[in-house]
Amino acid sequence: RAGNAKAAFEQLKYAEAILIANFSESESNSLLAVTCNNLGCYYKRTNKLHAALSYLRRALKIEISMQTDDVTVAGTHLNICAILSKLDKHDKALQHALCALELVGAH
């Protein structure tokens, strides 16, 4: 938060490269989903919304394939919702918000 965004980005990209190289391991998949989510948030913060959306969708795909806990998946849906809303794609944003609500409503 204190101006270290570039260093954080570089570390996230490094982590992504390592995790992709070890993608067959389930623990690596879980960490890759978190890394993609964090990269999506970084790109959102730097206003690179299409890159953010790409990483967040990738995170969501991994989370769903691994049957990640509902609260985590809901958080990713909300991150995607925020990006879509910024891109004026409010109908799609609403769908992700409703998915998140349904996931956390089950608990």
Side-chain angles (χ1 to χ4, degrees):
R1 289 186 178 260
N4 293 326
K6 185 174 186 241
F9 171 73
E10 289 170 358
Q11 291 296 310
L12 284 168
K13 290 300 284 182
Y14 181 63
E16 179 189 25
I18 292 170
L19 293 166
I20 287 171
N22 297 297
F23 192 70
S24 61
E25 300 170 26
S26 65
E27 187 175 320
S28 294
N29 291 352
S30 176
L31 293 172
L32 183 58
V34 172
T35 302
C36 286
N37 209 318
N38 287 334
L39 280 163
C41 292
Y42 168 82
Y43 281 120
K44 176 186 172 205
R45 185 175 175 156
T46 57
N47 210 34
K48 295 178 181 172
L49 301 180
H50 292 284
L53 193 54
S54 177
Y55 271 103
L56 290 168
R57 284 179 170 155
R58 191 165 153 207
L60 184 62
K61 184 177 178 181
I62 296 167
E63 289 169 356
I64 290 170
S65 74
M66 294 191 61
Q67 299 178 324
T68 304
D69 69 280
D70 289 347
V71 174
T72 300
V73 176
T76 303
H77 274 293
L78 289 175
N79 285 335
I80 292 171
C81 170
I83 300 297
L84 289 170
S85 185
K86 283 187 167 221
L87 291 169
D88 291 325
K89 296 183 179 184
H90 301 296
D91 289 342
K92 289 182 179 182
L94 177 60
Q95 292 306 310
H96 282 279
L98 291 172
C99 284
L101 187 59
E102 186 177 322
L103 286 165
V104 266
H107 293 289

